[in-house]
Amino acid sequence: LESNPSTGFSWRLARPVDQSVLVFVESAYVPPSGAAPGQSGSESWRFRAVSRGQATIDLEYGRLWESEAPVRTASFNIVVN
């Protein structure tokens, strides 16, 4: 996911993930190589499948301290066989 934490924005879970299917492992920001200061990088999120089933990962991008609607959202439907 495109991300720029230097602006105060970050990705966060919009709602809890069904932990009977998926467990959050980690998220990490990767800055762009050779980029100008303030340029966006990418953020990756890792989850571990713990059982068969379906789960949805809903993320939102915004500033944690602001109560406004998120700037962006992302949703991923996961099927674990």
Side-chain angles (χ1 to χ4, degrees):
L1 302 165
E2 184 179 344
S3 182
N4 192 346
S6 68
T7 61
F9 286 88
S10 63
W11 287 97
R12 63 182 171 261
L13 285 171
R15 61 191 47 79
V17 175
D18 182 350
Q19 292 188 3
S20 68
V21 178
L22 296 174
V23 175
F24 171 73
V25 175
E26 67 180 349
S27 65
Y29 173 73
V30 178
S33 60
Q39 187 172 355
S40 295
S42 62
E43 189 171 334
S44 63
W45 285 62
R46 287 184 17 167
F47 293 83
R48 181 172 38 92
V50 293
S51 70
R52 293 180 180 192
Q54 297 182 6
T56 302
I57 300 170
D58 291 313
L59 300 168
E60 56 188 23
Y61 187 70
R63 292 182 172 137
L64 294 174
W65 63 87
E66 292 180 348
S67 59
E68 299 170 10
V71 175
R72 283 183 268 165
T73 60
S75 185
F76 304 92
N77 295 314
I78 309 298
V79 176
V80 180
N81 293 319

